[in-house]
Amino acid sequence: MTTPSSHRPGTDGPAGPPPGCPAHGLVGDALVGDLAPTGLRRLYGPEAENDAAGLYEKLRAEHGSVAPVLLHGDVPAWLVLGHSENLHMTRTPSQFSRDSRRWRAVNDGSVAPDHPLAPIFSWQPICVFADGADHERLRGAVTDSIGRIDHRGVRRFINRYSNRLVNEFCQAGKADLVSRFAEHLPMMVMAQILGMPEEYNERLVESARDMIKGTETAVESNAYVMGVLDRLVARRRAAPEEDFASWLIEHPAGLTDTEVAQHLRLVLIAAYETTANLIANVLRMVLTDPRFRAQLSGGHMTLPEAVEQTLWDEPPFTTIFGRWAVGDTELGGQRIKAGDALVVGIAAANVDPTVRPDVNASMQGNRAHLAFSGGPHECPGQDIGRAIADTGIDALLLRLPDIQLAVPEEDLRWSSTLMSRHLQELPVTFVARPPQDVVGPPSATPERAPRGEWRVESPRPGAAQAAPGGPAVPPSASPAPVAPAVAPAPVPPAPAAGIPAQRRPGAPARALQAVARWWRGY
């Protein structure tokens, strides 16, 4: 842990906040609440960890769209709260660089190499710390390699791993969906994509989450992850295969082994943390929000739409650190000095009153959120994260359609770090079921029963389900198998507009079913 920096945002010395900055009026309130002796609020500590959203609104009321704050060790920075200000910052690398070597606090020694946030801000030869031609070369290798991923094959793996995880707890009738599902599915899938499924284990999961928390063990966790990736690069350099690591190595950009390993870490950690949080948050909303649940079961909101709503309300990353001012400039009415650090305020921007005056309004069909940042450094793998979330949750809800929250919603607990707000547990109950074949498509019924048409739904507590042409069946009861000879003939749906009539009866239904199977990866 370093001593407090002698610089303050927008200053050239230790005197305090910049002239005209609203923080001047707070200096006399030293140590009130989570205020530091300088009068600035901390983005770490009890207030930030227990009520980050409340902290953002205090900062917005006190300073406007850009607020002076303190990072771990009372290192000064600017938190950008406004939606338009965040877009301007992320889209203008000529003013706000991603090269952390510009940070004045690093250059003057007030931030030491062993700082808890070092794994996040320490310069590395990767695209997120580059601008201009270097950024284009490195990011081009990443985006081109992502473009080679077989999305249908990925969805097949997501279904298989989702089934495998559900098999581990489906007979118990209860589970914690954070520790048993959300925290493991993204790492299993990403290890497969990168080309190291044999390296997947509990320590890799724990290290990936720990290294961005700013804990005392973050540097050690980072070293473990890099050891795993260095071994992978060595194996693929000697014997390439059809995986992401091999594609990076073979790319015409000519990445060095160090550059390949660092970009593998970037993709692994970014995809893992965002997707684990996204899965947990979507599941929580499905289980606790009556409007959300009714829309899903009523067919008015698809699961991908539910994912987008969650990206507005509970973005996987609450902030992203950082940007560094190239020269003296102004942003949101604040005077920014060259070398100042800035933090992209994703969660705060998503509830900026200027773009979202009613936070309870539905945001269906609106992708203007900043959940994946913006500008030239916008997350290139966001579609993979969306696929893991919606396909995995789809499979889970199909296997356990009667799933219910096991505790009152107000008893759910969260933990917050600088970059994310993490749901600690999501305990649920459901009717116990036998395990299934992990290769076949997911189903809520045993494999011996014929599988009919299905849709994602999570019935309301106590609601009865009506069998086609029969009486209501309690949610806990599995439908009895129906012999094919006496089953009523399905009514084929009307052909979609623009699809020519098929020669054989039922062909449109088969075509749509085939598209659905392709989308889900089986």
Side-chain angles (χ1 to χ4, degrees):
M1 186 69 68
T2 63
T3 56
S5 169
S6 61
H7 290 325
R8 293 292 171 261
T11 71
D12 293 318
C21 173
H24 269 297
L26 301 174
V27 175
D29 296 327
L31 298 178
V32 175
D34 275 352
L35 294 178
T38 58
L40 301 183
R41 296 191 182 275
R42 296 181 169 105
L43 281 187
Y44 69 100
E47 183 177 18
E49 293 171 3
N50 297 327
D51 186 16
L55 174 60
Y56 300 152
E57 293 315 306
K58 287 181 183 178
L59 290 167
R60 200 192 306 270
E62 294 166 355
H63 304 289
S65 58
V66 178
V69 294
L70 297 174
L71 305 178
H72 296 68
D74 282 357
V75 176
W78 296 98
L79 175 62
V80 183
L81 303 160
H83 190 275
S84 63
E85 288 79 7
N86 272 290
L87 282 178
H88 174 75
M89 177 175 63
T90 56
R91 292 174 176 176
T92 317
S94 60
Q95 288 182 300
F96 304 101
S97 172
R98 283 293 280 136
D99 190 339
S100 61
R101 293 173 295 185
R102 296 179 180 271
W103 194 7
R104 188 172 59 247
V106 169
N107 295 329
D108 67 17
S110 57
V111 172
D114 61 348
H115 189 275
L117 296 178
I120 301 173
F121 68 74
S122 295
W123 185 88
Q124 299 135 37
I126 56 177
C127 59
V128 295
F129 289 107
D131 297 309
D134 286 342
H135 175 257
E136 293 178 5
R137 179 181 75 90
L138 296 171
R139 183 176 171 105
V142 173
T143 55
D144 289 348
S145 299
I146 289 176
R148 296 181 64 178
I149 295 174
D150 176 7
H151 285 247
R152 182 182 180 186
V154 167
R155 289 184 181 275
R156 185 179 298 112
F157 281 118
I158 298 169
N159 269 302
R160 182 177 303 173
Y161 292 142
S162 298
N163 259 338
R164 182 182 301 175
L165 290 170
V166 173
N167 280 350
E168 294 177 357
F169 57 77
C170 63
Q171 297 182 90
K174 61 180 180 179
D176 167 26
L177 293 184
V178 172
S179 63
R180 302 297 299 274
F181 191 82
E183 289 188 342
H184 286 272
L185 179 60
M187 185 60 74
M188 297 170 81
V189 176
M190 291 309 301
Q192 182 71 44
I193 290 175
L194 266 59
M196 55 176 200
E198 72 283 357
E199 296 280 7
Y200 165 78
N201 57 34
E202 191 70 30
R203 186 176 180 186
L204 187 61
V205 171
E206 293 175 354
S207 297
R209 177 140 280 176
D210 181 62
M211 61 184 288
I212 68 169
K213 287 183 178 180
T215 64
E216 294 181 355
T217 57
V219 175
E220 179 184 349
S221 295
N222 179 64
Y224 175 78
V225 172
M226 287 308 304
V228 171
L229 297 176
D230 286 339
R231 292 193 297 271
L232 172 62
V233 173
R235 291 197 303 269
R236 290 298 179 263
R237 183 71 75 178
E241 294 188 13
E242 285 297 309
D243 53 43
F244 190 83
S246 300
W247 298 333
L248 276 182
I249 292 172
E250 298 169 350
H251 194 273
L255 274 62
T256 66
D257 284 359
T258 299
E259 289 175 332
V260 172
Q262 293 287 358
H263 281 91
L264 290 175
R265 185 191 74 147
L266 169 66
V267 172
L268 176 67
I269 301 305
Y272 168 72
E273 178 67 15
T274 57
T275 310
N277 284 344
L278 182 58
I279 291 173
N281 291 335
V282 172
L283 285 170
R284 180 190 66 84
M285 293 186 72
V286 169
L287 293 170
T288 61
D289 189 325
R291 297 167 303 168
F292 205 86
R293 188 171 183 135
Q295 283 183 300
L296 270 176
S297 38
H300 300 301
M301 177 183 285
T302 66
L303 203 49
E305 289 171 337
V307 169
E308 292 304 318
Q309 180 71 43
T310 304
L311 290 171
W312 274 101
D313 297 337
E314 287 285 352
F317 277 149
T318 52
T319 66
I320 294 179
F321 180 66
R323 297 295 194 281
W324 290 273
V326 175
D328 294 355
T329 187
E330 182 177 320
L331 182 66
Q334 301 284 18
R335 286 183 287 173
I336 312 296
K337 300 288 284 188
D340 278 0
L342 300 97
V343 180
V344 182
I346 292 174
N350 278 0
V351 293
D352 183 349
T354 61
V355 296
R356 196 178 177 189
D358 181 5
V359 295
N360 296 316
S362 171
M363 303 303 288
Q364 282 183 243
N366 188 335
R367 283 197 175 189
H369 57 73
L370 295 180
F372 298 105
S373 189
H377 290 277
E378 183 175 0
C379 175
Q382 55 187 273
D383 288 338
I384 295 295
R386 286 184 172 98
I388 296 174
D390 68 58
T391 306
I393 295 173
D394 190 351
L396 171 70
L397 294 180
L398 182 58
R399 287 284 302 273
L400 308 173
D402 57 341
I403 197 167
Q404 303 291 337
L405 191 63
V407 299
E409 181 183 357
E410 55 269 20
D411 289 348
L412 296 177
R413 296 178 295 119
W414 304 79
S415 60
S416 297
T417 63
L418 172 65
M419 295 181 63
S420 65
R421 181 172 182 254
H422 176 53
L423 185 63
Q424 294 183 1
E425 296 176 332
L426 190 63
V428 296
T429 59
F430 47 86
V431 173
R433 291 174 172 82
Q436 284 189 2
D437 176 14
V438 299
V439 177
S443 171
T445 58
E447 286 299 309
R448 64 179 180 274
R451 183 174 184 270
E453 296 302 314
W454 58 271
R455 65 181 182 184
V456 178
E457 63 179 72
S458 188
R460 299 175 182 175
Q465 294 176 318
V473 180
S476 60
S478 298
V482 178
V486 297
V491 179
I499 299 179
Q502 306 295 311
R503 294 183 177 181
R504 293 185 298 162
R510 290 195 301 274
L512 292 175
Q513 291 166 9
V515 171
R517 286 194 298 272
W518 173 85
W519 172 253
R520 299 184 181 96
Y522 54 79

